[in-house]
Amino acid sequence: MGVMAIMGVVGWVMLVVPELHFLYKQVIPALGTGKYIAFLVMGIAMFVCMPVVLTRKAFKLLLPAKCQSLTEKLMMGLFCILSVVISRGFM
């Protein structure tokens, strides 16, 4: 899960930063039919794994008593939605 989160951070930065967005335009077509699997993996990494791992780390550091609580799970869901909304705003 941690490796997927790191991959999600890299993918999200490439998606959001205009100077790096050309990497998607240059690399993805070179994958051929594997580009659909790459899009699926990067989508899961950017919009699920990254927010979940970052939320879990933040709760462990800031609110250790609330780990594995409903509050943590609600924040994970909120950050998953927020990561999609923010990335759509930059695109």
Side-chain angles (χ1 to χ4, degrees):
M1 189 87 157
V3 173
M4 286 286 283
I6 292 170
M7 194 166 66
V9 169
V10 171
W12 200 80
V13 168
M14 282 192 322
L15 184 69
V16 171
V17 176
E19 289 81 17
L20 298 176
H21 192 70
F22 76 92
L23 291 174
Y24 273 141
K25 293 179 182 176
Q26 300 296 326
V27 175
I28 293 298
L31 295 176
T33 57
K35 68 182 172 186
Y36 301 112
I37 295 171
F39 280 133
L40 180 66
V41 170
M42 284 306 288
I44 291 170
M46 287 188 293
F47 304 125
V48 178
C49 292
M50 182 185 66
V52 168
V53 169
L54 291 177
T55 304
R56 180 151 295 147
K57 297 262 184 209
F59 266 77
K60 282 183 182 179
L61 288 174
L62 302 173
L63 300 166
K66 296 284 187 176
C67 286
Q68 302 294 328
S69 68
L70 180 62
T71 307
E72 182 187 32
K73 290 175 183 13
L74 289 173
M75 291 302 289
M76 285 178 186
L78 176 70
F79 286 138
C80 287
I81 293 168
L82 194 61
S83 70
V84 171
V85 171
I86 290 171
S87 66
R88 297 277 302 165
F90 280 110
M91 289 175 52

